[in-house]
Amino acid sequence: MLNVPSQSFPGPSSQQRVASGGRSKVPLKQGRSLMDWIRLTKSGKDLTGLKGRLIEVTEEELKKHNKKDDCWICIRGFVYNVSPYMEYHPGGEDELMRAAGSDGTDLFDQVHRWVNYESMLKECLVGRMAMKPALPKDYHEEKKVLNGMLPQSQVTDTLAKEGPSSPSYDWFQTDSLVTIVIYTKQKDINLDSVIVDHRDDSFRAETVIKDYSYLVHVALSHEIQEDFSGLFYRKCQLVSKEDVTHDTKLFCLMLPPSTHLEVPVGQHVYLRLPITGTEIVKPYTPVCDSLFSEFKEPVLPNNIYIYFLIKIYPAGFFTPELDQLQIGDYVSVSNPEGNFIISQLQELEDLFLLAAGTGFTPMVKVLNYALTNIPSLRKVKLMFFNKTEDDIIWRSQLEKLAFKDKRFEVEFVLSAPTSEWSGKQGYISPALLSEFLKRRSDTSKVLICLCGPTPFTEQGMKMLHDLNFSKDEIHSFTA
Ligand code: FAD
Ligand code: NAD
């Protein structure tokens, strides 16, 4: 039987209908595009004026914030300070002002239902509307709520007392949604600082703040028996596997639908597979699906895919097993680890990347992040060491990027080239480095990232010290 749609097309709230239904777009000032807004939200600027605090908002309080420069709007129980967003709003300031100081849910549903506002406005979140705490239907009878707080014993927070702050948490719910709010008192919490897994009857949220990790683990209907020590793994499905070079492949894994996990720039995860009855674990550094993928789709609600560039060693232990996996098979992926701190890139003028073989993998996200998010950046130079031309990962993408973005330069150095190779040759050396690492001035902010086989990294580190680069100016990726 044919499935005949009962509604007319486009649906009443679809984007096509809304766009053609008289909602006018106003011209935005220069520097007020969606991309500019995303940059602003990622800049760490306090957009709510509350220094990262989330508050409960009474109706009286909401009404007071009804001016252009102080405009709060409630959407589905969440209150946002939309003043910073005014000039970026494609529908214009007047349209937003129609909901100033009030509940704008209905208005929002008429014109914007399709907009992913939770993500767009997340840095503008002031808090939720004050409401009476209710007992969550889904929780166990004995896990009673105290003023909307779950009992403290539910929080596994072993390091909180020594940590930078002691986060607390709270929850609230509607018929279809339970929202857990973790108050961290930190400004620079991003999506990649939070890992959420909801499996069977357990909900687990890990928040990473500086050197500390805080865990909220809630039993929804059964007691939790899991051991929290060590790394947490979730099973991910192999979605695709593509040849990149003769021995390196791009693996795409899909996270379980109930997991939120974004691996921070410069960090790696562990992949785990049972091999001859034993669980074997090796570290790998996630990459983007290509060098041009960042910001293709700027407001993604959830990252569900993780990509890896992995070299298969025929005589290796782990990678041949990984290569044997069929599409649809599972591999376990751990939480991220690593000591690269994204703030190392702030205010940077010159970024030098020294990569050998698959040591290129951490450079992918660092490169993408720096080119898209660091306004002070003047130059990014990659020196990529490989044995032969056939071993160079994403060579044409790198060349295209260098052509497209004048801040980026790439140089290939081969240790076992054919006679046709006219480029640079050899292993890492002081001569190669001193020619390559030209800083603009003695005071310019520089970072050199280094990754590859252990002898490469060790020799490189020593050469960089001899060239008078300070410890703060060098980051080596190791296990
Ligand atoms: P192994 O069994 O470790 O063998 C590797 C090679 O060494 C084989 O050719 C083998 O024959 C040879 N070999 C092994 N033992 C000896 C020995 N005693 N003497 C001489 N030769 C020996 N790799 C990637 O491809 N992509 C990544 O993104 C990536 N990220 C990483 C991140 C980190 C933090 C680290 C530390 C490593 C990363 N690696 C990455 C490397 C990865 O973890 C594995 O080491 C690699 O995949 C090899 O694993 P394997 O078990 O297949 O090979
Ligand atoms: P490879 O054997 O293909 O060598 C690539 C280049 O590394 C060579 O062309 C050469 O320039 C240099 N090199 C190799 N051996 C050297 C030596 N003894 N001295 C100086 N330079 C040398 O490299 P591969 O098989 O792709 O291995 C990549 C390595 O990078 C692996 O050891 C892997 O564990 C490591 N890795 C580390 C991380 C991390 O974050 N720590 C991430 C990815 C890869």
Side-chain angles (χ1 to χ4, degrees), residues 268 282-285 309-311 313 315-320 358 361 478-479:
H268 54 269
K282 290 259 167 148
Y284 294 92
T285 315
L309 282 166
I310 299 181
K311 175 165 170 176
Y313 296 87
F317 190 59
F318 192 77
T319 48
T358 57
T361 53
T478 48

mmCIF file with all atom_site columns, all heavy atoms in Angstrom, residues 268 282-285 309-311 313 315-320 358 361 478-479, ligand 1:
data_model
loop_
_atom_site.group_PDB
_atom_site.id
_atom_site.type_symbol
_atom_site.label_atom_id
_atom_site.label_alt_id
_atom_site.label_comp_id
_atom_site.label_asym_id
_atom_site.label_entity_id
_atom_site.label_seq_id
_atom_site.pdbx_PDB_ins_code
_atom_site.Cartn_x
_atom_site.Cartn_y
_atom_site.Cartn_z
_atom_site.occupancy
_atom_site.B_iso_or_equiv
_atom_site.pdbx_formal_charge
_atom_site.auth_seq_id
_atom_site.auth_comp_id
_atom_site.auth_asym_id
_atom_site.auth_atom_id
_atom_site.pdbx_PDB_model_num
ATOM   1   N N   . HIS A 1 268 ? 44.147 11.837  21.920 1.00 0.00 ? 268 HIS A N   1
ATOM   2   C CA  . HIS A 1 268 ? 43.933 10.539  21.273 1.00 0.00 ? 268 HIS A CA  1
ATOM   3   C C   . HIS A 1 268 ? 42.953 9.711   22.101 1.00 0.00 ? 268 HIS A C   1
ATOM   4   O O   . HIS A 1 268 ? 42.632 10.076  23.235 1.00 0.00 ? 268 HIS A O   1
ATOM   5   C CB  . HIS A 1 268 ? 45.266 9.796   21.122 1.00 0.00 ? 268 HIS A CB  1
ATOM   6   C CG  . HIS A 1 268 ? 46.022 9.655   22.396 1.00 0.00 ? 268 HIS A CG  1
ATOM   7   N ND1 . HIS A 1 268 ? 46.958 10.576  22.824 1.00 0.00 ? 268 HIS A ND1 1
ATOM   8   C CD2 . HIS A 1 268 ? 45.965 8.705   23.367 1.00 0.00 ? 268 HIS A CD2 1
ATOM   9   C CE1 . HIS A 1 268 ? 47.458 10.197  23.985 1.00 0.00 ? 268 HIS A CE1 1
ATOM   10  N NE2 . HIS A 1 268 ? 46.866 9.075   24.334 1.00 0.00 ? 268 HIS A NE2 1
ATOM   11  N N   . LYS A 1 282 ? 45.149 -0.142  21.705 1.00 0.00 ? 282 LYS A N   1
ATOM   12  C CA  . LYS A 1 282 ? 46.235 0.700   21.131 1.00 0.00 ? 282 LYS A CA  1
ATOM   13  C C   . LYS A 1 282 ? 45.716 2.125   20.953 1.00 0.00 ? 282 LYS A C   1
ATOM   14  O O   . LYS A 1 282 ? 44.537 2.319   20.652 1.00 0.00 ? 282 LYS A O   1
ATOM   15  C CB  . LYS A 1 282 ? 46.650 0.174   19.751 1.00 0.00 ? 282 LYS A CB  1
ATOM   16  C CG  . LYS A 1 282 ? 47.381 -1.152  19.773 1.00 0.00 ? 282 LYS A CG  1
ATOM   17  C CD  . LYS A 1 282 ? 48.887 -0.987  19.626 1.00 0.00 ? 282 LYS A CD  1
ATOM   18  C CE  . LYS A 1 282 ? 49.592 -2.285  19.960 1.00 0.00 ? 282 LYS A CE  1
ATOM   19  N NZ  . LYS A 1 282 ? 50.817 -2.513  19.231 1.00 0.00 ? 282 LYS A NZ  1
ATOM   20  N N   . PRO A 1 283 ? 46.615 3.133   21.099 1.00 0.00 ? 283 PRO A N   1
ATOM   21  C CA  . PRO A 1 283 ? 46.160 4.518   20.942 1.00 0.00 ? 283 PRO A CA  1
ATOM   22  C C   . PRO A 1 283 ? 46.088 4.976   19.486 1.00 0.00 ? 283 PRO A C   1
ATOM   23  O O   . PRO A 1 283 ? 46.951 4.618   18.688 1.00 0.00 ? 283 PRO A O   1
ATOM   24  C CB  . PRO A 1 283 ? 47.244 5.317   21.684 1.00 0.00 ? 283 PRO A CB  1
ATOM   25  C CG  . PRO A 1 283 ? 48.463 4.465   21.630 1.00 0.00 ? 283 PRO A CG  1
ATOM   26  C CD  . PRO A 1 283 ? 48.017 3.033   21.530 1.00 0.00 ? 283 PRO A CD  1
ATOM   27  N N   . TYR A 1 284 ? 45.081 5.778   19.175 1.00 0.00 ? 284 TYR A N   1
ATOM   28  C CA  . TYR A 1 284 ? 44.930 6.384   17.847 1.00 0.00 ? 284 TYR A CA  1
ATOM   29  C C   . TYR A 1 284 ? 44.372 7.799   18.002 1.00 0.00 ? 284 TYR A C   1
ATOM   30  O O   . TYR A 1 284 ? 43.631 8.074   18.946 1.00 0.00 ? 284 TYR A O   1
ATOM   31  C CB  . TYR A 1 284 ? 44.010 5.525   16.949 1.00 0.00 ? 284 TYR A CB  1
ATOM   32  C CG  . TYR A 1 284 ? 44.652 4.195   16.659 1.00 0.00 ? 284 TYR A CG  1
ATOM   33  C CD1 . TYR A 1 284 ? 44.393 3.082   17.478 1.00 0.00 ? 284 TYR A CD1 1
ATOM   34  C CD2 . TYR A 1 284 ? 45.586 4.067   15.641 1.00 0.00 ? 284 TYR A CD2 1
ATOM   35  C CE1 . TYR A 1 284 ? 45.049 1.878   17.274 1.00 0.00 ? 284 TYR A CE1 1
ATOM   36  C CE2 . TYR A 1 284 ? 46.250 2.858   15.428 1.00 0.00 ? 284 TYR A CE2 1
ATOM   37  C CZ  . TYR A 1 284 ? 45.979 1.778   16.242 1.00 0.00 ? 284 TYR A CZ  1
ATOM   38  O OH  . TYR A 1 284 ? 46.642 0.600   16.054 1.00 0.00 ? 284 TYR A OH  1
ATOM   39  N N   . THR A 1 285 ? 44.758 8.656   17.055 1.00 0.00 ? 285 THR A N   1
ATOM   40  C CA  . THR A 1 285 ? 44.375 10.065  17.150 1.00 0.00 ? 285 THR A CA  1
ATOM   41  C C   . THR A 1 285 ? 43.300 10.379  16.115 1.00 0.00 ? 285 THR A C   1
ATOM   42  O O   . THR A 1 285 ? 43.587 10.306  14.915 1.00 0.00 ? 285 THR A O   1
ATOM   43  C CB  . THR A 1 285 ? 45.604 10.957  16.867 1.00 0.00 ? 285 THR A CB  1
ATOM   44  O OG1 . THR A 1 285 ? 46.701 10.432  17.593 1.00 0.00 ? 285 THR A OG1 1
ATOM   45  C CG2 . THR A 1 285 ? 45.347 12.381  17.272 1.00 0.00 ? 285 THR A CG2 1
ATOM   46  N N   . LEU A 1 309 ? 42.916 7.897   10.713 1.00 0.00 ? 309 LEU A N   1
ATOM   47  C CA  . LEU A 1 309 ? 43.837 7.492   9.643  1.00 0.00 ? 309 LEU A CA  1
ATOM   48  C C   . LEU A 1 309 ? 44.761 6.461   10.268 1.00 0.00 ? 309 LEU A C   1
ATOM   49  O O   . LEU A 1 309 ? 45.519 6.786   11.195 1.00 0.00 ? 309 LEU A O   1
ATOM   50  C CB  . LEU A 1 309 ? 44.656 8.703   9.184  1.00 0.00 ? 309 LEU A CB  1
ATOM   51  C CG  . LEU A 1 309 ? 43.965 9.692   8.250  1.00 0.00 ? 309 LEU A CG  1
ATOM   52  C CD1 . LEU A 1 309 ? 44.762 10.990  8.167  1.00 0.00 ? 309 LEU A CD1 1
ATOM   53  C CD2 . LEU A 1 309 ? 43.792 9.089   6.855  1.00 0.00 ? 309 LEU A CD2 1
ATOM   54  N N   . ILE A 1 310 ? 44.682 5.239   9.792  1.00 0.00 ? 310 ILE A N   1
ATOM   55  C CA  . ILE A 1 310 ? 45.458 4.166   10.440 1.00 0.00 ? 310 ILE A CA  1
ATOM   56  C C   . ILE A 1 310 ? 46.294 3.406   9.417  1.00 0.00 ? 310 ILE A C   1
ATOM   57  O O   . ILE A 1 310 ? 45.795 2.979   8.374  1.00 0.00 ? 310 ILE A O   1
ATOM   58  C CB  . ILE A 1 310 ? 44.520 3.216   11.222 1.00 0.00 ? 310 ILE A CB  1
ATOM   59  C CG1 . ILE A 1 310 ? 43.806 4.030   12.318 1.00 0.00 ? 310 ILE A CG1 1
ATOM   60  C CG2 . ILE A 1 310 ? 45.304 2.042   11.816 1.00 0.00 ? 310 ILE A CG2 1
ATOM   61  C CD1 . ILE A 1 310 ? 42.872 3.244   13.193 1.00 0.00 ? 310 ILE A CD1 1
ATOM   62  N N   . LYS A 1 311 ? 47.572 3.291   9.761  1.00 0.00 ? 311 LYS A N   1
ATOM   63  C CA  . LYS A 1 311 ? 48.488 2.545   8.887  1.00 0.00 ? 311 LYS A CA  1
ATOM   64  C C   . LYS A 1 311 ? 48.437 1.077   9.291  1.00 0.00 ? 311 LYS A C   1
ATOM   65  O O   . LYS A 1 311 ? 48.565 0.741   10.478 1.00 0.00 ? 311 LYS A O   1
ATOM   66  C CB  . LYS A 1 311 ? 49.901 3.113   9.074  1.00 0.00 ? 311 LYS A CB  1
ATOM   67  C CG  . LYS A 1 311 ? 50.972 2.371   8.341  1.00 0.00 ? 311 LYS A CG  1
ATOM   68  C CD  . LYS A 1 311 ? 52.228 3.223   8.307  1.00 0.00 ? 311 LYS A CD  1
ATOM   69  C CE  . LYS A 1 311 ? 53.420 2.468   7.809  1.00 0.00 ? 311 LYS A CE  1
ATOM   70  N NZ  . LYS A 1 311 ? 54.595 3.349   7.694  1.00 0.00 ? 311 LYS A NZ  1
ATOM   71  N N   . TYR A 1 313 ? 50.112 -2.371  9.499  1.00 0.00 ? 313 TYR A N   1
ATOM   72  C CA  . TYR A 1 313 ? 51.423 -3.035  9.446  1.00 0.00 ? 313 TYR A CA  1
ATOM   73  C C   . TYR A 1 313 ? 51.172 -4.539  9.267  1.00 0.00 ? 313 TYR A C   1
ATOM   74  O O   . TYR A 1 313 ? 50.645 -5.173  10.196 1.00 0.00 ? 313 TYR A O   1
ATOM   75  C CB  . TYR A 1 313 ? 52.198 -2.813  10.751 1.00 0.00 ? 313 TYR A CB  1
ATOM   76  C CG  . TYR A 1 313 ? 52.557 -1.369  11.029 1.00 0.00 ? 313 TYR A CG  1
ATOM   77  C CD1 . TYR A 1 313 ? 51.660 -0.528  11.688 1.00 0.00 ? 313 TYR A CD1 1
ATOM   78  C CD2 . TYR A 1 313 ? 53.791 -0.851  10.639 1.00 0.00 ? 313 TYR A CD2 1
ATOM   79  C CE1 . TYR A 1 313 ? 51.978 0.801   11.945 1.00 0.00 ? 313 TYR A CE1 1
ATOM   80  C CE2 . TYR A 1 313 ? 54.115 0.473   10.896 1.00 0.00 ? 313 TYR A CE2 1
ATOM   81  C CZ  . TYR A 1 313 ? 53.209 1.291   11.551 1.00 0.00 ? 313 TYR A CZ  1
ATOM   82  O OH  . TYR A 1 313 ? 53.531 2.595   11.802 1.00 0.00 ? 313 TYR A OH  1
ATOM   83  N N   . ALA A 1 315 ? 52.937 -7.039  9.589  1.00 0.00 ? 315 ALA A N   1
ATOM   84  C CA  . ALA A 1 315 ? 53.493 -7.872  10.657 1.00 0.00 ? 315 ALA A CA  1
ATOM   85  C C   . ALA A 1 315 ? 53.102 -7.348  12.042 1.00 0.00 ? 315 ALA A C   1
ATOM   86  O O   . ALA A 1 315 ? 53.608 -7.819  13.056 1.00 0.00 ? 315 ALA A O   1
ATOM   87  C CB  . ALA A 1 315 ? 55.013 -7.914  10.529 1.00 0.00 ? 315 ALA A CB  1
ATOM   88  N N   . GLY A 1 316 ? 52.222 -6.386  12.073 1.00 0.00 ? 316 GLY A N   1
ATOM   89  C CA  . GLY A 1 316 ? 51.804 -5.805  13.357 1.00 0.00 ? 316 GLY A CA  1
ATOM   90  C C   . GLY A 1 316 ? 50.805 -6.690  14.079 1.00 0.00 ? 316 GLY A C   1
ATOM   91  O O   . GLY A 1 316 ? 50.249 -7.634  13.501 1.00 0.00 ? 316 GLY A O   1
ATOM   92  N N   . PHE A 1 317 ? 50.545 -6.349  15.321 1.00 0.00 ? 317 PHE A N   1
ATOM   93  C CA  . PHE A 1 317 ? 49.664 -7.160  16.141 1.00 0.00 ? 317 PHE A CA  1
ATOM   94  C C   . PHE A 1 317 ? 48.206 -6.706  16.008 1.00 0.00 ? 317 PHE A C   1
ATOM   95  O O   . PHE A 1 317 ? 47.302 -7.508  15.791 1.00 0.00 ? 317 PHE A O   1
ATOM   96  C CB  . PHE A 1 317 ? 50.141 -7.037  17.599 1.00 0.00 ? 317 PHE A CB  1
ATOM   97  C CG  . PHE A 1 317 ? 49.466 -8.006  18.518 1.00 0.00 ? 317 PHE A CG  1
ATOM   98  C CD1 . PHE A 1 317 ? 49.571 -9.375  18.290 1.00 0.00 ? 317 PHE A CD1 1
ATOM   99  C CD2 . PHE A 1 317 ? 48.726 -7.566  19.598 1.00 0.00 ? 317 PHE A CD2 1
ATOM   100 C CE1 . PHE A 1 317 ? 48.943 -10.286 19.123 1.00 0.00 ? 317 PHE A CE1 1
ATOM   101 C CE2 . PHE A 1 317 ? 48.103 -8.471  20.436 1.00 0.00 ? 317 PHE A CE2 1
ATOM   102 C CZ  . PHE A 1 317 ? 48.207 -9.828  20.203 1.00 0.00 ? 317 PHE A CZ  1
ATOM   103 N N   . PHE A 1 318 ? 48.006 -5.430  16.122 1.00 0.00 ? 318 PHE A N   1
ATOM   104 C CA  . PHE A 1 318 ? 46.648 -4.890  16.232 1.00 0.00 ? 318 PHE A CA  1
ATOM   105 C C   . PHE A 1 318 ? 46.048 -4.507  14.878 1.00 0.00 ? 318 PHE A C   1
ATOM   106 O O   . PHE A 1 318 ? 44.894 -4.812  14.581 1.00 0.00 ? 318 PHE A O   1
ATOM   107 C CB  . PHE A 1 318 ? 46.700 -3.651  17.142 1.00 0.00 ? 318 PHE A CB  1
ATOM   108 C CG  . PHE A 1 318 ? 45.358 -3.149  17.589 1.00 0.00 ? 318 PHE A CG  1
ATOM   109 C CD1 . PHE A 1 318 ? 44.660 -3.797  18.601 1.00 0.00 ? 318 PHE A CD1 1
ATOM   110 C CD2 . PHE A 1 318 ? 44.791 -2.020  17.011 1.00 0.00 ? 318 PHE A CD2 1
ATOM   111 C CE1 . PHE A 1 318 ? 43.428 -3.334  19.029 1.00 0.00 ? 318 PHE A CE1 1
ATOM   112 C CE2 . PHE A 1 318 ? 43.561 -1.549  17.440 1.00 0.00 ? 318 PHE A CE2 1
ATOM   113 C CZ  . PHE A 1 318 ? 42.872 -2.209  18.451 1.00 0.00 ? 318 PHE A CZ  1
ATOM   114 N N   . THR A 1 319 ? 46.852 -3.777  14.052 1.00 0.00 ? 319 THR A N   1
ATOM   115 C CA  . THR A 1 319 ? 46.266 -3.192  12.839 1.00 0.00 ? 319 THR A CA  1
ATOM   116 C C   . THR A 1 319 ? 45.758 -4.234  11.828 1.00 0.00 ? 319 THR A C   1
ATOM   117 O O   . THR A 1 319 ? 44.721 -3.986  11.195 1.00 0.00 ? 319 THR A O   1
ATOM   118 C CB  . THR A 1 319 ? 47.230 -2.184  12.181 1.00 0.00 ? 319 THR A CB  1
ATOM   119 O OG1 . THR A 1 319 ? 48.532 -2.763  12.078 1.00 0.00 ? 319 THR A OG1 1
ATOM   120 C CG2 . THR A 1 319 ? 47.312 -0.915  12.993 1.00 0.00 ? 319 THR A CG2 1
ATOM   121 N N   . PRO A 1 320 ? 46.409 -5.417  11.669 1.00 0.00 ? 320 PRO A N   1
ATOM   122 C CA  . PRO A 1 320 ? 45.807 -6.390  10.758 1.00 0.00 ? 320 PRO A CA  1
ATOM   123 C C   . PRO A 1 320 ? 44.405 -6.827  11.222 1.00 0.00 ? 320 PRO A C   1
ATOM   124 O O   . PRO A 1 320 ? 43.523 -7.043  10.404 1.00 0.00 ? 320 PRO A O   1
ATOM   125 C CB  . PRO A 1 320 ? 46.797 -7.568  10.785 1.00 0.00 ? 320 PRO A CB  1
ATOM   126 C CG  . PRO A 1 320 ? 48.093 -6.945  11.169 1.00 0.00 ? 320 PRO A CG  1
ATOM   127 C CD  . PRO A 1 320 ? 47.734 -5.862  12.141 1.00 0.00 ? 320 PRO A CD  1
ATOM   128 N N   . THR A 1 358 ? 52.546 8.413   10.187 1.00 0.00 ? 358 THR A N   1
ATOM   129 C CA  . THR A 1 358 ? 51.219 8.656   10.785 1.00 0.00 ? 358 THR A CA  1
ATOM   130 C C   . THR A 1 358 ? 51.283 9.664   11.932 1.00 0.00 ? 358 THR A C   1
ATOM   131 O O   . THR A 1 358 ? 50.249 10.001  12.510 1.00 0.00 ? 358 THR A O   1
ATOM   132 C CB  . THR A 1 358 ? 50.588 7.348   11.296 1.00 0.00 ? 358 THR A CB  1
ATOM   133 O OG1 . THR A 1 358 ? 51.501 6.762   12.227 1.00 0.00 ? 358 THR A OG1 1
ATOM   134 C CG2 . THR A 1 358 ? 50.293 6.389   10.167 1.00 0.00 ? 358 THR A CG2 1
ATOM   135 N N   . THR A 1 361 ? 48.741 12.501  12.110 1.00 0.00 ? 361 THR A N   1
ATOM   136 C CA  . THR A 1 361 ? 47.338 12.493  12.578 1.00 0.00 ? 361 THR A CA  1
ATOM   137 C C   . THR A 1 361 ? 47.000 13.588  13.607 1.00 0.00 ? 361 THR A C   1
ATOM   138 O O   . THR A 1 361 ? 45.977 14.247  13.441 1.00 0.00 ? 361 THR A O   1
ATOM   139 C CB  . THR A 1 361 ? 46.909 11.097  13.100 1.00 0.00 ? 361 THR A CB  1
ATOM   140 O OG1 . THR A 1 361 ? 47.856 10.673  14.086 1.00 0.00 ? 361 THR A OG1 1
ATOM   141 C CG2 . THR A 1 361 ? 46.851 10.084  11.976 1.00 0.00 ? 361 THR A CG2 1
ATOM   142 N N   . THR A 1 478 ? 53.182 12.298  22.354 1.00 0.00 ? 478 THR A N   1
ATOM   143 C CA  . THR A 1 478 ? 53.650 10.956  22.715 1.00 0.00 ? 478 THR A CA  1
ATOM   144 C C   . THR A 1 478 ? 52.487 10.229  23.382 1.00 0.00 ? 478 THR A C   1
ATOM   145 O O   . THR A 1 478 ? 51.405 10.799  23.521 1.00 0.00 ? 478 THR A O   1
ATOM   146 C CB  . THR A 1 478 ? 54.831 11.036  23.705 1.00 0.00 ? 478 THR A CB  1
ATOM   147 O OG1 . THR A 1 478 ? 54.470 11.942  24.732 1.00 0.00 ? 478 THR A OG1 1
ATOM   148 C CG2 . THR A 1 478 ? 56.120 11.491  23.041 1.00 0.00 ? 478 THR A CG2 1
ATOM   149 N N   . ALA A 1 479 ? 52.692 8.990   23.788 1.00 0.00 ? 479 ALA A N   1
ATOM   150 C CA  . ALA A 1 479 ? 51.583 8.237   24.387 1.00 0.00 ? 479 ALA A CA  1
ATOM   151 C C   . ALA A 1 479 ? 51.233 8.816   25.747 1.00 0.00 ? 479 ALA A C   1
ATOM   152 O O   . ALA A 1 479 ? 52.105 9.292   26.425 1.00 0.00 ? 479 ALA A O   1
ATOM   153 C CB  . ALA A 1 479 ? 51.958 6.789   24.537 1.00 0.00 ? 479 ALA A CB  1
HETATM 154 P P1  . FAD B 2 .   ? 52.955 -3.549  16.237 1.00 0.00 ? 1   FAD B P1  1
HETATM 155 O O1  . FAD B 2 .   ? 52.712 -4.954  16.605 1.00 0.00 ? 1   FAD B O1  1
HETATM 156 O O2  . FAD B 2 .   ? 53.167 -2.586  17.328 1.00 0.00 ? 1   FAD B O2  1
HETATM 157 O O3  . FAD B 2 .   ? 54.108 -3.443  15.193 1.00 0.00 ? 1   FAD B O3  1
HETATM 158 C C1  . FAD B 2 .   ? 54.369 -2.267  14.415 1.00 0.00 ? 1   FAD B C1  1
HETATM 159 C C2  . FAD B 2 .   ? 55.531 -2.511  13.472 1.00 0.00 ? 1   FAD B C2  1
HETATM 160 O O4  . FAD B 2 .   ? 56.714 -2.671  14.211 1.00 0.00 ? 1   FAD B O4  1
HETATM 161 C C3  . FAD B 2 .   ? 55.367 -3.754  12.622 1.00 0.00 ? 1   FAD B C3  1
HETATM 162 O O5  . FAD B 2 .   ? 55.941 -3.526  11.360 1.00 0.00 ? 1   FAD B O5  1
HETATM 163 C C4  . FAD B 2 .   ? 56.141 -4.777  13.384 1.00 0.00 ? 1   FAD B C4  1
HETATM 164 O O6  . FAD B 2 .   ? 56.629 -5.795  12.557 1.00 0.00 ? 1   FAD B O6  1
HETATM 165 C C5  . FAD B 2 .   ? 57.251 -3.941  13.972 1.00 0.00 ? 1   FAD B C5  1
HETATM 166 N N1  . FAD B 2 .   ? 57.720 -4.458  15.252 1.00 0.00 ? 1   FAD B N1  1
HETATM 167 C C6  . FAD B 2 .   ? 56.960 -4.780  16.319 1.00 0.00 ? 1   FAD B C6  1
HETATM 168 N N2  . FAD B 2 .   ? 57.751 -5.157  17.324 1.00 0.00 ? 1   FAD B N2  1
HETATM 169 C C7  . FAD B 2 .   ? 59.030 -5.067  16.863 1.00 0.00 ? 1   FAD B C7  1
HETATM 170 C C8  . FAD B 2 .   ? 60.300 -5.285  17.425 1.00 0.00 ? 1   FAD B C8  1
HETATM 171 N N3  . FAD B 2 .   ? 60.440 -5.718  18.678 1.00 0.00 ? 1   FAD B N3  1
HETATM 172 N N4  . FAD B 2 .   ? 61.375 -5.048  16.674 1.00 0.00 ? 1   FAD B N4  1
HETATM 173 C C9  . FAD B 2 .   ? 61.281 -4.628  15.418 1.00 0.00 ? 1   FAD B C9  1
HETATM 174 N N5  . FAD B 2 .   ? 60.102 -4.382  14.837 1.00 0.00 ? 1   FAD B N5  1
HETATM 175 C C10 . FAD B 2 .   ? 59.006 -4.600  15.548 1.00 0.00 ? 1   FAD B C10 1
HETATM 176 N N6  . FAD B 2 .   ? 48.929 4.961   14.358 1.00 0.00 ? 1   FAD B N6  1
HETATM 177 C C11 . FAD B 2 .   ? 48.137 5.250   13.293 1.00 0.00 ? 1   FAD B C11 1
HETATM 178 O O7  . FAD B 2 .   ? 48.216 4.578   12.262 1.00 0.00 ? 1   FAD B O7  1
HETATM 179 N N7  . FAD B 2 .   ? 47.244 6.276   13.361 1.00 0.00 ? 1   FAD B N7  1
HETATM 180 C C12 . FAD B 2 .   ? 47.100 7.037   14.474 1.00 0.00 ? 1   FAD B C12 1
HETATM 181 O O8  . FAD B 2 .   ? 46.259 7.953   14.507 1.00 0.00 ? 1   FAD B O8  1
HETATM 182 C C13 . FAD B 2 .   ? 47.937 6.747   15.601 1.00 0.00 ? 1   FAD B C13 1
HETATM 183 N N8  . FAD B 2 .   ? 47.851 7.479   16.732 1.00 0.00 ? 1   FAD B N8  1
HETATM 184 C C14 . FAD B 2 .   ? 48.688 7.206   17.784 1.00 0.00 ? 1   FAD B C14 1
HETATM 185 C C15 . FAD B 2 .   ? 48.613 7.965   18.928 1.00 0.00 ? 1   FAD B C15 1
HETATM 186 C C16 . FAD B 2 .   ? 49.481 7.742   19.970 1.00 0.00 ? 1   FAD B C16 1
HETATM 187 C C17 . FAD B 2 .   ? 49.393 8.593   21.214 1.00 0.00 ? 1   FAD B C17 1
HETATM 188 C C18 . FAD B 2 .   ? 50.450 6.718   19.864 1.00 0.00 ? 1   FAD B C18 1
HETATM 189 C C19 . FAD B 2 .   ? 51.412 6.470   20.975 1.00 0.00 ? 1   FAD B C19 1
HETATM 190 C C20 . FAD B 2 .   ? 50.500 5.922   18.751 1.00 0.00 ? 1   FAD B C20 1
HETATM 191 C C21 . FAD B 2 .   ? 49.624 6.146   17.703 1.00 0.00 ? 1   FAD B C21 1
HETATM 192 N N9  . FAD B 2 .   ? 49.628 5.341   16.567 1.00 0.00 ? 1   FAD B N9  1
HETATM 193 C C22 . FAD B 2 .   ? 48.848 5.659   15.495 1.00 0.00 ? 1   FAD B C22 1
HETATM 194 C C23 . FAD B 2 .   ? 50.389 4.072   16.535 1.00 0.00 ? 1   FAD B C23 1
HETATM 195 C C24 . FAD B 2 .   ? 49.503 2.903   17.021 1.00 0.00 ? 1   FAD B C24 1
HETATM 196 O O9  . FAD B 2 .   ? 49.166 3.078   18.376 1.00 0.00 ? 1   FAD B O9  1
HETATM 197 C C25 . FAD B 2 .   ? 50.170 1.539   16.891 1.00 0.00 ? 1   FAD B C25 1
HETATM 198 O O10 . FAD B 2 .   ? 51.422 1.590   17.489 1.00 0.00 ? 1   FAD B O10 1
HETATM 199 C C26 . FAD B 2 .   ? 50.305 1.100   15.447 1.00 0.00 ? 1   FAD B C26 1
HETATM 200 O O11 . FAD B 2 .   ? 49.013 1.041   14.855 1.00 0.00 ? 1   FAD B O11 1
HETATM 201 C C27 . FAD B 2 .   ? 50.969 -0.261  15.319 1.00 0.00 ? 1   FAD B C27 1
HETATM 202 O O12 . FAD B 2 .   ? 50.193 -1.219  15.981 1.00 0.00 ? 1   FAD B O12 1
HETATM 203 P P2  . FAD B 2 .   ? 50.282 -2.779  15.630 1.00 0.00 ? 1   FAD B P2  1
HETATM 204 O O13 . FAD B 2 .   ? 49.897 -3.519  16.854 1.00 0.00 ? 1   FAD B O13 1
HETATM 205 O O14 . FAD B 2 .   ? 49.546 -3.098  14.379 1.00 0.00 ? 1   FAD B O14 1
HETATM 206 O O15 . FAD B 2 .   ? 51.790 -3.007  15.296 1.00 0.00 ? 1   FAD B O15 1
#
